[in-house]
Amino acid sequence: MRRGAGLLALCLVLVTSLVTACSGGDGDDPVRLRVLAGPDLAVLAPLLDELRDATGVDLRMEHRADAETRNPDRGRYDLAWLSSDSYLRLTDKNATRGLQRTPTMTSPVVIGLKPGVARQLRARVPGARLTWADIADAAATGRVRFGMADPRHAGSGLAALVGVATAAAGTGAALRPEDVSCDRLRGFRSGQTLTADTGPALVDSYADHQGEADALITYESDLLALNASGRLDDPLEVVRPEDGMVLADFPLLLLNPARRTAYDKVTQWLRRDSVQRQIMQHTLRRPVNTTVTRDARLREPVGNALFYPDRPAVVETLLADYGDPDRRTTSQVVFLLDFSGSMRGARMAALRAAFAGLSGADPSASGKFTRFHRGERLTVVRFGGRVLGEKTVTVTGAKDLDALADTVARGGYGDATAVWSALDHGYRAAARARAADPDRSVSLVLMTDGENNAGLTYAEFVRRHDALPTAVRDAVPTYPVHFGEADAGALRRAAARTGGRMVDASDSSLSEAFKEIRGCH
């Protein structure tokens, strides 16, 4: 019995040794990798068991809402799997220098529109090819209410914000600091009615509150999956903006170089045609392998891929301007318009045309981004040697813009030009507005074609301005528009003192000057 037991024990040892040798010395235990993952990667959970069985690598995913906007802890994670690492590479170049990255799938940020709204918008656009500018214009007028993830946390929201801002800049290139020196997206943001910290949470919010929005801005894959889910009253029409889209490539990043062998096994498996096909079918994201035949819903060309900004200051400005989507504040612009006798004729016609353009008559892309928007509070003050008239409206529709146009169209020219008295009057109005609503953003636009020859001197205006409450003196800028024979030096000094800047209409037109400063408040 003892001899038989010994032989049996020896056989077991030999079998165990053989199995261990054939498995590379690690037995049947998989290699476990800790992965910092964006919420958009949770949809891949059903494939992870198959990945483990095929590669011997077990990905332990930790999904974090802030994964794409934080520096990954290399002591805690072996890999990071994000929808995009653009923000990380931009804000922390040292952390990503030399970092191994492998794109695993792609999806552009697009717009999903309710069919009726899509038809209405397309009918207004030559060729029916919608752009970000068309969406911004429709949002500014209240014709589109949309949902978008918070760009401070979600890659899809930040990509959408970059796309809209790039379209507003009109350069087709990566955004520069001067392209975002004025916030041109206020009209666009005025149409936002739904938000969430992540893309998946936004989709759920829209499905639960379909009556609160007409559109959803997110990844193409999210929209296609939502349409196929049966959760919608009406499937959304996917609109790929003609002026370009930001593309996410869902990179897998190697944070721990000691795990390179396991990382290579995972990426090689993910890039197989058969697996790419599975990923496409399961997530409705586009395969990175060109050899994989695309699903019919993914055959529409991406078109113009927009560049991600290459300067941190640009993204910081965009996010600061965007603010908290759950806490929108109203803004007010006070227009101080010179109605002295020298404005008669062609100059007044130019002023009225400029206001018509801001009210929606300008069909250009820049006009759509700079128009007056729903919810904005506007004050028009006509002045000569004194204040000749004043009108304030909160824009709810065409009737409010017509009321402003009527104020600008009236006669009643003055026989002098009291520039600094008018500006002082504007600051009194700003002080009242800030007192009534301390969170309200207020700015002044001063347009004159002549030198001051009545009322306060510049020195007297300065003394009055210095005596204003800090919340007004330091937070309400003036944007003078130089026109005709106005004193450019004096206007520049006023702009510098109040935190604004002067725009010279002599080099272009009043319409272009007003568009240039729109959003700088």
Side-chain angles (χ1 to χ4, degrees):
M1 291 293 292
R2 288 180 183 174
R3 186 168 177 270
L7 287 173
L8 178 61
L10 178 60
C11 288
L12 288 174
V13 169
L14 290 173
V15 169
T16 301
S17 299
L18 180 61
V19 170
T20 300
C22 292
S23 63
D26 293 326
D28 293 327
D29 292 334
V31 176
R32 292 184 175 84
L33 299 184
R34 299 157 299 171
V35 185
L36 170 66
D40 299 291
L41 277 302
V43 69
L44 288 178
L47 295 179
L48 298 184
D49 287 344
E50 188 175 342
L51 183 152
R52 182 189 59 210
D53 293 341
T55 66
V57 180
D58 182 14
L59 299 186
R60 296 297 177 93
M61 309 278 276
E62 182 179 332
H63 298 282
R64 293 183 59 105
D66 61 350
E68 289 162 7
T69 56
R70 69 196 300 267
N71 190 356
D73 182 353
R74 297 192 183 209
R76 180 174 180 178
Y77 303 106
D78 301 302
L79 311 177
W81 203 351
L82 314 172
S83 63
S84 171
D85 61 343
S86 295
Y87 183 80
L88 177 62
R89 286 188 285 120
L90 180 66
T91 56
D92 197 342
K93 289 183 171 61
N94 290 330
T96 58
R97 186 174 287 112
L99 202 65
Q100 183 75 21
R101 74 184 302 275
T102 303
T104 59
M105 48 197 150
T106 66
S107 194
V109 171
V110 297
I111 306 155
L113 289 172
K114 289 183 176 178
V117 174
R119 284 193 299 272
Q120 292 173 8
L121 294 187
R122 291 189 189 281
R124 302 168 66 97
V125 177
R129 302 288 294 181
L130 294 174
T131 66
W132 285 115
D134 296 322
I135 300 302
D137 184 60
T141 58
R143 287 180 285 121
V144 164
R145 301 165 304 155
F146 66 87
M148 188 178 85
D150 190 335
R152 299 173 302 173
H153 307 297
S156 62
L158 184 54
L161 195 61
V162 168
V164 181
T166 303
T171 64
L175 288 167
R176 305 162 299 177
E178 56 266 34
D179 295 327
V180 294
S181 60
C182 291
D183 179 8
R184 296 252 173 123
L185 305 188
R186 288 177 181 246
F188 168 75
R189 290 198 306 273
S190 69
Q192 185 170 2
T193 53
L194 289 177
T195 193
D197 282 344
T198 69
L202 174 70
V203 169
D204 289 340
S205 178
Y206 178 81
D208 294 338
H209 304 91
Q210 295 175 50
E212 296 181 18
D214 314 298
L216 196 59
I217 301 176
T218 187
Y219 292 124
E220 173 191 65
S221 55
D222 291 342
L223 295 177
L224 295 175
L226 182 59
N227 281 345
S229 70
R231 301 170 68 190
L232 300 183
D233 299 330
D234 293 301
L236 296 169
E237 181 175 326
V238 178
V239 173
R240 300 168 180 88
E242 186 75 1
D243 41 0
M245 293 160 276
V246 175
L247 193 68
D249 63 1
F250 298 87
L252 185 62
L253 309 175
L254 176 62
L255 303 179
N256 181 0
R259 295 297 198 172
R260 177 62 183 267
T261 300
Y263 172 84
D264 287 342
K265 288 181 180 180
V266 171
T267 55
Q268 288 166 13
W269 186 82
L270 290 172
R271 300 276 298 219
R272 291 179 185 173
D273 280 4
S274 59
V275 177
Q276 285 280 293
R277 193 173 297 110
Q278 280 185 272
I279 291 174
M280 176 182 65
Q281 293 168 348
H282 191 76
T283 69
L284 290 173
R285 292 168 187 159
R286 298 172 181 240
V288 292
N289 294 3
T290 57
T291 52
V292 176
T293 302
R294 291 183 180 178
D295 183 290
R297 292 165 289 183
L298 299 173
R299 291 174 189 168
E300 184 77 18
V302 171
N304 180 30
L306 297 178
F307 296 97
Y308 200 85
D310 55 6
R311 306 185 198 183
V314 170
V315 173
E316 290 166 5
T317 299
L318 285 176
L319 292 177
D321 288 340
Y322 179 85
D324 185 347
D326 286 322
R327 191 172 178 270
R328 292 283 185 232
T329 57
T330 58
S331 61
Q332 180 170 351
V333 186
V334 180
F335 289 91
L336 305 164
L337 306 178
D338 186 345
F339 267 64
S340 59
S342 59
M343 283 292 296
R344 284 188 173 94
R347 291 180 177 180
M348 185 52 61
L351 175 60
R352 290 168 180 163
F355 258 76
L358 295 179
S359 298
D362 184 348
S364 68
S366 60
K368 291 175 180 178
F369 277 109
T370 54
R371 63 166 298 148
F372 296 135
H373 60 80
R374 191 176 180 87
E376 188 174 21
R377 188 172 174 84
L378 303 169
T379 298
V380 169
V381 177
R382 297 183 297 114
F383 73 91
R386 57 181 177 81
V387 171
L388 302 172
E390 183 172 339
K391 179 71 175 179
T392 297
V393 301
T394 298
V395 179
T396 59
K399 69 180 188 304
D400 302 306
L401 298 177
D402 289 343
L404 282 186
D406 181 62
T407 300
V408 177
R410 291 178 188 172
Y413 294 96
D415 56 1
T417 307
V419 175
W420 308 121
S421 291
L423 189 54
D424 179 68
H425 179 88
Y427 272 99
R428 304 299 158 188
R432 292 192 296 273
R434 291 298 300 268
D437 182 359
D439 292 329
R440 178 176 295 165
S441 168
V442 184
S443 67
L444 308 182
V445 177
L446 171 65
M447 191 287 298
T448 180
D449 73 335
E451 296 186 9
N452 186 72
N453 57 20
L456 298 176
T457 65
Y458 178 71
E460 290 170 329
F461 162 73
V462 168
R463 283 196 293 273
R464 291 181 177 227
H465 184 265
D466 286 343
L468 290 169
T470 302
V472 179
R473 185 180 66 246
D474 294 346
V476 179
T478 294
Y479 298 93
V481 178
H482 175 256
F483 192 49
E485 295 74 44
D487 185 341
L491 295 179
R492 284 195 184 92
R493 287 194 297 274
R497 167 169 285 276
T498 61
R501 64 184 177 87
M502 190 192 82
V503 176
D504 197 337
S506 302
D507 297 333
S508 53
S509 67
L510 275 181
S511 290
E512 290 303 314
F514 278 125
K515 284 164 62 174
E516 184 176 340
I517 62 176
R518 278 291 291 160
C520 294
H521 58 278

